[in-house]
Amino acid sequence: MSLSHSGLCLVAAAVLTGLALSAAPAASAMAAEPAAATAAVSSAKRAAIAKRGDLAIHYDIVGDLKSPKTPLLVLHGAYMSADAMAAMVDRFARTRPVIVLDQRGHGRTGDGPGPITYEAMADDAAAVLDAAGVKQADVFGYSMGGGAAIQLAVRHPAKVAKLVTASAGTRLDALYKEVLAGIEQITPAVFDNSPIRKEYDRLAPRREDFPRLVEKLKVLDATPFDWSDDMKALKHKTMIVMGDYDIMGPEHGVEMFRMRGGGAPALAAQGFLSAPPPARLLILPGTSHIGIMAEAETIVAATVPFLDDATPPMPAGFF
């Protein structure tokens, strides 16, 4: 059965950006967690502003940046906000301090001059780290935020310790052509009365800027890029996270994993890992682009050992 024009728009919007997410679902995803743990994390959260030219970038610090643990910078996807990343942020914050920002055009930061580009978002993230007094952070980026995370590592390598990308690729043509075709049909009206538009209106400094955000993101999503050489040249340990029904095929996740030195035959031939590997790959079964954000518990549990540089455990009874 084929989709109608409006149906294709809605599906494309949801699939590409995780638009079904808002602060409410993020909060409900945490409902099963111990109340004391959630309250402790929330009480440690404080808001701040980083200035970059005419742009005032809103960000939150969760936890103590004086902790011996390397801080984690979290970059959200398109049409989202720092609040929408709560399910991830609150879990990560139990193990380390976290910085999460509202990217340009989004949330409390709102629109700024010029286009939304991955390079500009990377420079924004670098400005946030400077404003927070953080010389180096691990970085976790989802979807659009994953692209910004890669560019942060490329453009500001000294500011990045470890890199984690979730549902992000290194080239535009890795996305399914059906997704790209659907993006072209998105209009601001697609979001009327949606949780996404309501959340934007709740947070944005200027509600009337929403059509401008849609247009800027459509331009971003139609602009070809290929960071394959940059990805291969990075020196950072890297973790790749994808769903098996993501906006690009799982083979691209494997490609990125190998770009970062993952899956070396010599290591695989040992049968076990005696040291932390240079790259890790997590492909979640039965998981879509939006579904990634419903798997916060699984993703955080798999990512924390990577961030801690832990050697994968040996099972009992083999040697």
Side-chain angles (χ1 to χ4, degrees):
M1 181 176 67
S2 62
L3 288 169
S4 65
H5 172 82
S6 60
L8 181 59
C9 290
L10 286 167
V11 169
V15 167
L16 179 66
T17 62
L19 296 183
L21 293 171
S22 65
S28 65
M30 294 296 298
E33 298 298 323
T38 302
V41 168
S42 299
S43 66
K45 177 179 174 180
R46 58 193 185 280
I49 297 291
K51 293 287 290 185
R52 182 167 174 253
D54 294 332
L55 189 67
I57 307 164
H58 172 95
Y59 67 98
D60 292 325
I61 299 170
V62 187
D64 185 2
L65 292 178
K66 296 180 181 179
S67 163
K69 286 279 194 177
T70 301
L72 176 67
L73 176 68
V74 174
L75 303 176
H76 64 74
Y79 297 101
M80 296 173 68
S81 67
D83 289 5
M85 297 300 290
M88 296 283 185
V89 169
D90 288 357
R91 286 175 170 86
F92 277 125
R94 295 170 193 165
T95 65
R96 66 204 64 241
V98 177
I99 301 170
V100 56
L101 60 90
D102 285 335
Q103 306 223 59
R104 58 174 52 218
H106 296 75
R108 298 169 182 86
T109 296
D111 191 37
I116 294 176
T117 67
Y118 292 109
E119 292 80 5
M121 288 185 285
D123 293 347
D124 293 344
V128 166
L129 291 178
D130 288 341
V134 173
K135 292 184 177 180
Q136 189 176 66
D138 297 325
V139 183
F140 177 99
Y142 165 64
S143 191
M144 180 188 76
I150 293 172
Q151 280 302 304
L152 178 62
V154 170
R155 295 169 68 83
H156 305 275
K159 293 185 180 296
V160 177
K162 294 186 180 70
L163 172 66
V164 184
T165 69
S167 293
T170 57
R171 47 189 172 81
L172 184 65
D173 63 8
L175 274 66
Y176 291 122
K177 62 182 180 181
E178 293 84 355
V179 173
L180 294 172
I183 295 166
E184 295 177 1
Q185 306 303 318
I186 295 174
T187 68
V190 168
F191 305 96
D192 287 351
N193 299 313
S194 69
I196 295 82
R197 182 59 196 267
K198 291 175 182 177
E199 188 69 356
Y200 179 90
D201 289 347
R202 181 179 75 88
L203 298 173
R206 290 168 48 92
R207 297 180 180 181
E208 60 270 28
D209 286 343
F210 186 75
R212 187 176 300 153
L213 172 64
V214 173
E215 184 56 35
K216 287 186 177 185
L217 291 178
K218 287 182 66 177
V219 171
L220 174 69
D221 293 332
T223 303
F225 65 90
D226 188 340
W227 305 326
S228 300
D229 290 341
D230 292 331
M231 193 70 168
K232 292 173 185 175
L234 292 178
K235 305 300 182 183
H236 314 83
K237 288 190 173 182
T238 304
M239 182 168 175
I240 309 298
V241 180
M242 290 184 65
D244 57 356
Y245 283 86
D246 219 309
I247 56 174
M248 62 202 78
E251 62 273 10
H252 189 61
V254 174
E255 180 184 352
M256 293 172 66
F257 174 62
R258 295 198 183 283
M259 286 178 187
R260 302 302 310 120
L267 289 178
Q270 294 177 176
F272 61 91
L273 294 171
S274 57
R280 304 191 189 204
L281 173 64
L282 176 63
I283 297 182
L284 295 163
T287 303
S288 66
H289 189 65
I290 295 173
I292 283 284
M293 290 302 296
E295 297 293 341
E297 184 173 358
T298 299
I299 291 171
V300 173
T303 303
V304 166
F306 165 72
L307 298 177
D308 289 344
D309 221 22
T311 300
M314 278 283 291
F318 278 79
F319 293 98

